[in-house]
């Protein structure tokens, strides 16, 4: 009996330790680790719905922690190759959510608006006029890839920006690992779009490259901190070492990744240019201490 009691007590202690690691982290690390859950939820749902037609409520309901189901996500008419690219992205985002929630408690999935109308508003704002017909992200493979251009890159700039602010080695290792995969996703999307950079998207008569340039310019405007985003084709002097216009990978004058802080990211994903004013993909705002602190001062 004594042996059983000892084993039982040890098991309980191990469970308590495993669930309380975040208590050993600085609060600033916890806040920075929890913030990207907002982006990871968005990416997971977008890629899951695009490739499978359903989201976390079916594939990993425990990760949602009872958060409201997303609005408007739907299966995309992807060709076989595009689906083979997007589906691994979807499962990778599920893994990212698990990885973060193993380190910090996290929060329930926020309300997400993945409807075609939300993406159409982004495109209208990027072009400075309503597109006719409204842009449809789920219509076909190329439209979906253009819509995808708007998502992983914002998250990866956030990881770059947060990393030097982290204190604990475990936090830094997690962010480095997440950044590696997010960067990979972004470059795959950019490479697939770059292959079609000079093709005109029907029925708009605008090239794929121009779509990416407009979207990057919009994110720069919304972020309000200068150039931290570049399309697939840039002026030669803005390209790598000022020698090339092709821009399959975005980077600063030294080809180092751009960084963003949480406030810049909120301005972009809300579509408002103001971290205090929710909207866009987050109708009721993002979650976590950092995002909520700005909602409370709205």
């Amino acid at each position: 009996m004594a042996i059983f009691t000892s084993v039982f007590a040890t098991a309980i202690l191990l469970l308590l330790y495993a669930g309380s690691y975040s208590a050993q982290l600085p609060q600033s690390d916890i806040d920075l680790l929890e913030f990207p859950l907002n982006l990871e939820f968005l990416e997971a749902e977008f890629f899951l719905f695009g490739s499978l037609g359903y989201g976390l409520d079916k594939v990993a309901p425990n990760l949602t922690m009872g958060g409201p189901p997303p609005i408007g996500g739907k299966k995309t008419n992807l060709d076989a190759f595009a689906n083979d690219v997007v589906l691994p992205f979807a499962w990778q985002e599920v893994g990212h959510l698990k990885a973060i929630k193993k380190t910090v408690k996290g929060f329930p999935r926020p309300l997400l608006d993945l409807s075609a109308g939300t993406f159409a508003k982004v495109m209208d704002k990027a072009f400075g006029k309503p597109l006719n017909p409204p842009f449809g992200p789920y219509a076909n493979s190329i439209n979906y890839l253009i819509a995808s251009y708007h998502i992983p890159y914002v998250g990866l700039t956030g990881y770059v920006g947060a990393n030097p602010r982290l204190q604990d080695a475990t936090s830094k290792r997690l962010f480095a690992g997440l950044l590696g995969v997010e960067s990979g996703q972004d470059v795959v999307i950019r490479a697939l779009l770059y292959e079609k950079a000079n093709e005109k998207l029907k029925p708009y008569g605008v090239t794929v490259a121009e779509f990416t340039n407009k979207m990057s310019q919009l994110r720069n405007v919304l972020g309000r901190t200068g150039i931290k985003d570049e399309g697939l084709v840039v002026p030669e002097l803005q390209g790598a070492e000022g020698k090339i216009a092709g821009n399959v990978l975005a980077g600063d004058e030294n080809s180092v990744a751009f960084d963003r802080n949480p406030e810049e990211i909120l301005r972009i994903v809300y579509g408002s240019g103001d971290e205090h004013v929710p909207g866009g993909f987050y109708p009721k705002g993002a979650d976590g201490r950092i995002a909520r602190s700005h909602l409370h001062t709205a």
Side-chain angles (χ1 to χ4, degrees), residues 121-122 125 150 218-219 221-224 263-282 285 295:
K121 288 177 183 177
V122 170
K125 188 172 290 188
H150 196 59
L218 174 64
R219 292 190 297 219
V221 170
L222 293 174
R224 304 197 333 241
E263 290 71 30
E264 294 170 72
I265 290 172
L266 292 172
R267 294 167 196 159
I268 293 168
V269 297
Y270 287 173
S272 64
D274 187 338
E275 63 269 32
H276 306 98
V277 181
F281 298 111
Y282 300 86
L295 294 177

Side-chain angles (χ1 to χ4, degrees), residues 53-66:
Y54 47 82
L56 288 169
D57 286 321
K58 183 170 182 178
V59 305
N62 59 307
L63 293 176
T64 72
M65 296 173 65

Side-chain angles (χ1 to χ4, degrees), residues 1-10:
M1 184 68 179
I3 294 176
F4 173 81
T5 302
S6 177
V7 171
F8 181 77
T10 301

Side-chain angles (χ1 to χ4, degrees), residues 25-91:
L25 295 174
Q27 184 61 50
S28 59
D29 274 24
I30 295 173
D31 293 346
L32 288 169
L33 287 170
E34 288 191 331
F35 179 79
L37 284 171
N38 292 294
L39 281 298
E40 298 293 353
F41 274 124
L42 175 64
E43 294 172 36
E45 296 289 11
F46 180 65
F47 290 138
L48 283 168
F49 271 99
S51 57
L52 295 173
Y54 47 82
L56 288 169
D57 286 321
K58 183 170 182 178
V59 305
N62 59 307
L63 293 176
T64 72
M65 296 173 65
I71 300 167
K74 61 185 294 186
K75 178 100 168 61
T76 306
N77 185 27
L78 297 172
D79 60 53
F81 178 78
N83 198 75
D84 283 349
V85 170
V86 174
L87 184 56
F89 287 0
W91 290 114

Side-chain angles (χ1 to χ4, degrees), residues 2-298:
I3 294 176
F4 173 81
T5 302
S6 177
V7 171
F8 181 77
T10 301
I12 292 296
L13 288 172
L14 287 172
L15 286 172
L16 289 172
Y17 178 81
S20 63
Y21 178 74
S22 64
Q24 303 173 37
L25 295 174
Q27 184 61 50
S28 59
D29 274 24
I30 295 173
D31 293 346
L32 288 169
L33 287 170
E34 288 191 331
F35 179 79
L37 284 171
N38 292 294
L39 281 298
E40 298 293 353
F41 274 124
L42 175 64
E43 294 172 36
E45 296 289 11
F46 180 65
F47 290 138
L48 283 168
F49 271 99
S51 57
L52 295 173
Y54 47 82
L56 288 169
D57 286 321
K58 183 170 182 178
V59 305
N62 59 307
L63 293 176
T64 72
M65 296 173 65
I71 300 167
K74 61 185 294 186
K75 178 100 168 61
T76 306
N77 185 27
L78 297 172
D79 60 53
F81 178 78
N83 198 75
D84 283 349
V85 170
V86 174
L87 184 56
F89 287 0
W91 290 114
Q92 287 164 3
E93 297 306 333
V94 173
H96 289 180
L97 289 168
K98 289 179 178 178
I100 296 173
K101 285 173 176 273
K102 284 180 181 178
T103 309
V104 292
K105 181 180 179 181
F107 46 77
R109 174 185 55 198
L111 179 64
L112 301 170
D113 189 347
L114 303 176
S115 64
T118 297
F119 284 94
K121 288 177 183 177
V122 170
M123 293 302 178
D124 289 350
K125 188 172 290 188
F127 279 86
K129 63 180 181 180
L131 294 185
N132 186 26
F135 178 80
Y138 304 110
N140 50 54
S141 296
I142 189 64
N143 282 30
Y144 189 81
L145 288 172
I146 288 174
S148 299
Y149 179 89
H150 196 59
I151 296 181
Y153 181 75
V154 176
L156 80 86
T157 58
Y159 285 128
V160 175
N163 197 55
R165 299 170 60 189
L166 295 170
Q167 300 178 47
D168 188 86
T170 299
S171 305
K172 294 177 181 179
R173 172 62 183 90
L174 175 59
F175 263 33
L178 292 167
L179 173 60
V181 175
E182 293 289 333
S183 300
Q185 291 178 354
D186 180 64
V187 74
V188 169
I189 292 167
R190 291 180 71 99
L192 292 175
L193 290 174
Y194 189 75
E195 186 180 20
K196 300 178 181 294
N198 294 320
E199 292 185 16
K200 291 186 177 181
L201 193 67
K202 297 178 181 179
Y204 308 108
V206 177
T207 66
V208 169
E210 186 61 16
F211 263 89
T212 66
N213 291 343
K214 293 289 189 183
M215 293 167 71
S216 287
Q217 290 166 9
L218 174 64
R219 292 190 297 219
N220 285 329
V221 170
L222 293 174
R224 304 197 333 241
T225 53
I227 295 177
K228 294 191 175 181
D229 221 300
E230 297 174 335
L232 294 176
V233 179
V234 296
E236 190 171 292
L237 289 176
Q238 192 178 327
E241 293 300 298
K243 297 183 182 298
I244 191 166
N247 199 43
V248 71
L249 282 176
D252 66 13
E253 66 272 14
N254 295 312
S255 295
V256 174
F258 293 106
D259 66 312
R260 287 190 171 106
N261 61 37
E263 290 71 30
E264 294 170 72
I265 290 172
L266 292 172
R267 294 167 196 159
I268 293 168
V269 297
Y270 287 173
S272 64
D274 187 338
E275 63 269 32
H276 306 98
V277 181
F281 298 111
Y282 300 86
K284 295 185 177 180
D287 208 341
R289 277 167 52 102
I290 294 174
R292 289 199 310 270
S293 72
H294 295 297
L295 294 177
H296 290 164
T297 57

